[in-house]
Amino acid sequence: MPNIRARLLAVLVVLCGLCGFLTVAGSTAATATAAATIPDSLPFDGTALTVSGGRFVDGNGREVVLRGYNVSGETKLAENRGLPFASVADARKSATALRALGGGNSVRFLLSWAYAEPVRGQVDTAYLAAATDQMRAFLDVGIRVYPDFHQDLYSRWLFNPGSWYTGDGAPKWAVELGGYPSESCGICLLWGQNITQNSAVKAAQHDFWHNDHGLQDSFLATAQQTMTYVKANLTAEEFAGVLGFDPYNEPYAGPYDSGQTSRTWERDLLWPFYVRFRARMDAAGWTDKPALVEPNLFWNGNVSKEEGGLLDAGTLGSRYVFNTHFYDQKAISGILMWGNAADGQYVTDLGTVRERAATAGTTAIVSEFGHPLNGSTAGKAPTVLKAMYQGLDSRVKGANWWTAPATSGPVLSGSQWQWDIYNGRHHELMNDNPDKVRTTGDAWNDEDLSAVRMDDGGTVTLRQDARLLDRVYPSATSGTTVAFTYEDRSRDGSTTLTWNPVPGSLPGTKQLVGSGQYGLLVWRSNGGTAPTELHLPASFPTAATTVVSDLGTVYVPPAYSAATKIGAAVEPGGTGSRRLLLGAQDSGVLHYALVTNGAVAPSAALLAAARTELSAWAAQKAE
């Protein structure tokens, strides 16, 4: 993941870009018992997700969009022994806040190979038990989880105690096998430069992908045992909330072999590794869950770029998800993008993700995206993050959305980096050096990207604009999304950013929305009986929410019931977060729903005028 050194900004970014199986025994975790239904669940909640027709689909045939955060970079640190949280209580606190404050319905849950297998061939079941208990804290509030064996720069044990940098991932014993040269990145101002310039990191990466010293075999055995343990120690209901598994974070070859290219490396080494990992998933009882596979780290960078994207893997189909990251290297550099991000800045980049997944016959997830919140480029964060969410929501910029909505979808799933409740409160001995205690930011290579922190009273608070993070999005669509947009009205300092105003050609709708936030979903029904769902941010209290749809018009949506076409309900988990539910049980019909908090007691005439306008617009522009 890219980073910025606050005191030495990215002058050289252009040089390098981001620059045997064991049986679980003696488990320390309590045997899982039948769990009660998740609080506030409705009959159509809680089914396992699969991949079908290029979408995530639930058991009711609804198209699902996953939004959330990485939990968390704390796993990269030693202070809590490779776990995201110091305790299950902290995990529960984080899960509740992530749902209620951040609007998330999913997390990428980081795991550490180093702590899962500290001694070669001996998986630490105490670590697996603690990790599973922390996972459960999210599952118990209805948040879906996909674990990730995380690594950056291969391993912390490649770095000497006085180094400017550190890594995470592989155990100490794996590094000792390699006999690697002393780490040195040369003139490196970004931690990511170590990927391509640090000879120790490059050699270790090369060994892993070539399975030298049986490193890959050991990793796969540990992964299988981890998955076996997790499945055995979650209830069936909890395990249904586990989406799949991300095998390996940000894979890169190290040095390419003679005659090898980034594309042939993906074909000959990376993809075979994923096939082997997929087999381990099957052996562990994860047959019905996809592997969320990442291509070459640099395949879609906007400065450093290498050919890739698993182009030679053929049709991935339902057993794999195309999983990638996106950071604006130019914005992070501070010299390659001087100003802020603008309307439509990333619709092309994230459109490429959609296209690659569609060509591969699967769906996509952007499992990391973000921007530093401290340092000399932090001022770009409000616009960069708004533009990234805009690109996830739609492949059409705001200025063009109302005239070309039919080219908008599908909506992309994504997990922002990151949700670290310990931000600014760490106590990390960098590379085990007691003279280099890191407390500020994320406490890892000078990063500071967490959307949250805990205040002095132990309450989780946002570090970014709630309007940006807690968003309207179609969490479950009973059919196929045709178009979606959300104008969050998030702020850059004191300036409210409006990139997608309602056009003057729809005067009633424009008056209804006013200066408020609004989301608009257009979808084609598939005959399903479960309703379409939109997450309602905290800024959309029932008493201030207006819905205009071909299904009807409502100010102050009533409580949902099976007989209600437009209603509101709390989301599962008991966190108080809310959703809008839209019932349309027909098939092949184009529907639309606008939800806004801009109106105060709108008149029946205004609601009717907005409905007439939107019905004509949808028939003309979205059919």
Side-chain angles (χ1 to χ4, degrees):
M1 189 176 97
N3 178 48
I4 171 176
R5 285 190 72 86
R7 63 183 183 274
L8 290 172
L9 225 17
V11 179
L12 298 183
V13 69
V14 294
L15 298 178
C16 72
L18 290 178
C19 306
F21 180 69
L22 303 173
T23 302
V24 176
S27 168
T28 59
T31 301
T33 58
T37 300
I38 294 172
D40 298 327
S41 291
L42 292 171
F44 40 80
D45 293 330
T47 62
L49 298 190
T50 55
V51 178
S52 178
R55 305 288 192 272
F56 289 117
V57 176
D58 69 8
N60 303 289
R62 298 183 299 175
E63 174 184 295
V64 170
V65 172
L66 301 169
R67 289 291 173 84
Y69 304 84
N70 281 261
V71 179
S72 73
E74 174 69 21
T75 298
K76 296 158 65 164
L77 307 179
E79 62 184 5
N80 284 325
R81 296 190 55 77
L83 290 166
F85 302 98
S87 66
V88 173
D90 278 1
R92 289 184 182 132
K93 177 187 292 189
S94 187
T96 299
L98 189 144
R99 187 76 138 160
L101 298 179
N105 65 358
S106 62
V107 292
R108 182 176 183 238
F109 190 97
L110 275 59
L111 297 171
S112 169
W113 178 22
Y115 289 95
E117 190 187 6
V119 177
R120 189 171 198 179
Q122 297 181 27
V123 173
D124 185 348
T125 53
Y127 174 80
L128 300 186
T132 303
D133 285 344
Q134 292 185 11
M135 253 183 249
R136 186 180 292 109
F138 290 85
L139 296 166
D140 284 351
V141 295
I143 293 174
R144 297 186 187 272
V145 172
Y146 60 107
D148 154 50
F149 263 121
H150 207 81
Q151 71 80 39
D152 286 295
L153 308 184
Y154 192 71
S155 175
R156 68 186 284 116
W157 285 281
L158 285 173
F159 294 84
N160 67 64
S163 177
W164 275 12
Y165 302 104
T166 189
D168 72 288
K172 184 177 182 180
W173 60 259
V175 171
E176 291 173 341
L177 285 173
Y180 302 117
S182 297
E183 59 93 5
S184 175
C185 195
I187 305 176
C188 284
L189 306 182
L190 303 174
W191 75 255
Q193 290 178 261
N194 285 272
I195 299 169
T196 56
Q197 292 180 226
N198 188 321
S199 57
V201 173
K202 290 166 63 178
Q205 291 176 121
H206 184 275
D207 280 359
F208 181 84
W209 296 114
H210 288 77
N211 199 24
D212 289 351
H213 316 293
L215 289 168
Q216 200 174 110
D217 293 337
S218 292
F219 174 84
L220 290 168
T222 298
Q224 181 176 339
Q225 188 163 344
T226 299
M227 290 184 281
T228 299
Y229 186 96
V230 168
K231 185 176 188 296
N233 287 274
L234 294 176
T235 66
E237 181 184 32
E238 290 166 345
F239 191 58
V242 177
L243 171 65
F245 210 109
D246 182 346
Y248 197 91
N249 180 68
E250 295 185 350
Y252 190 67
Y256 290 114
D257 294 331
S258 178
Q260 189 178 56
T261 66
S262 56
R263 180 167 178 173
T264 61
W265 174 77
E266 280 195 350
R267 182 193 67 198
D268 298 338
L269 291 173
L270 181 60
W271 181 249
F273 165 75
Y274 287 146
V275 171
R276 296 182 72 199
F277 193 96
R278 174 72 264 181
R280 297 288 185 152
M281 291 179 70
D282 295 346
W286 292 50
T287 306
D288 296 330
K289 300 182 185 295
L292 291 82
V293 294
E294 301 185 31
N296 179 331
L297 166 62
F298 296 120
W299 86 279
N300 68 336
N302 65 356
V303 174
S304 53
K305 195 173 185 68
E306 297 184 5
E307 187 178 26
L310 304 176
L311 295 171
D312 299 299
T315 300
L316 301 185
S318 62
R319 286 167 57 77
Y320 297 92
V321 167
F322 187 73
N323 169 17
T324 189
H325 298 173
F326 182 71
Y327 294 93
D328 186 346
Q329 297 166 306
K330 294 179 180 179
I332 290 171
S333 76
I335 60 174
L336 299 177
M337 187 186 103
W338 288 102
N340 289 336
D343 177 24
Q345 187 97 7
Y346 307 120
V347 295
T348 299
D349 296 294
L350 294 171
T352 299
V353 175
R354 290 174 168 88
E355 291 162 5
R356 181 68 203 107
T359 301
T362 188
T363 190
I365 190 166
V366 182
S367 61
E368 284 189 29
F369 63 95
H371 189 83
L373 301 183
N374 195 13
S376 60
T377 68
K380 300 178 187 295
T383 57
V384 166
L385 267 294
K386 180 180 175 75
M388 287 181 174
Y389 275 111
Q390 180 192 51
L392 292 172
D393 287 346
S394 172
R395 61 183 306 158
V396 182
K397 65 188 294 185
N400 299 339
W401 192 88
W402 285 92
T403 57
T407 57
S408 173
V411 180
L412 273 177
S413 294
S415 302
Q416 183 176 329
W417 185 273
Q418 63 162 325
W419 190 272
D420 174 20
I421 63 173
Y422 307 117
N423 177 272
R425 295 178 176 274
H426 294 282
H427 188 83
E428 174 71 2
L429 278 60
M430 185 175 179
N431 298 317
D432 302 317
N433 185 342
D435 296 324
K436 296 190 74 172
V437 179
R438 296 292 179 254
T439 60
T440 59
D442 300 340
W444 195 86
N445 285 341
D446 291 339
E447 287 203 326
D448 191 351
L449 286 90
S450 178
V452 292
R453 65 183 298 275
M454 280 195 294
D455 65 18
D456 291 343
T459 300
V460 179
T461 60
L462 294 179
R463 300 177 66 225
Q464 295 176 274
D465 188 350
R467 291 181 166 229
L468 171 72
L469 299 181
D470 190 12
R471 310 177 61 80
V472 173
Y473 62 93
S475 51
T477 301
S478 190
T480 302
T481 299
V482 174
F484 175 71
T485 191
Y486 180 53
E487 179 48 78
D488 56 41
R489 313 274 192 184
S490 58
R491 297 177 179 88
D492 181 8
S494 60
T495 301
T496 298
L497 302 171
T498 301
W499 291 352
N500 192 0
V502 178
S505 58
L506 301 171
T509 308
K510 187 177 182 70
Q511 181 183 343
L512 183 71
V513 169
S515 61
Q517 299 167 290
Y518 79 89
L520 177 52
L521 173 68
V522 183
W523 77 101
R524 193 172 298 279
S525 60
N526 65 356
T529 58
T532 289
E533 299 186 23
L534 291 164
H535 170 70
L536 289 176
S539 58
F540 280 71
T542 300
T545 297
T546 301
V547 182
V548 177
S549 171
D550 66 293
L551 302 173
T553 61
V554 174
Y555 174 63
V556 186
Y560 172 77
S561 73
T564 327
K565 287 192 173 182
I566 302 174
V570 289
E571 288 177 319
T575 64
S577 59
R578 297 166 51 258
R579 51 184 161 170
L580 181 71
L581 297 161
L582 305 163
Q585 297 182 12
D586 44 31
S587 182
V589 177
L590 191 75
H591 296 284
Y592 69 85
L594 176 139
V595 54
T596 181
N597 60 6
V600 177
S603 67
L606 181 58
L607 292 173
R611 186 181 185 190
T612 298
E613 291 171 357
L614 289 169
S615 294
W617 168 82
Q620 180 184 13
K621 299 293 186 181
E623 282 283 6

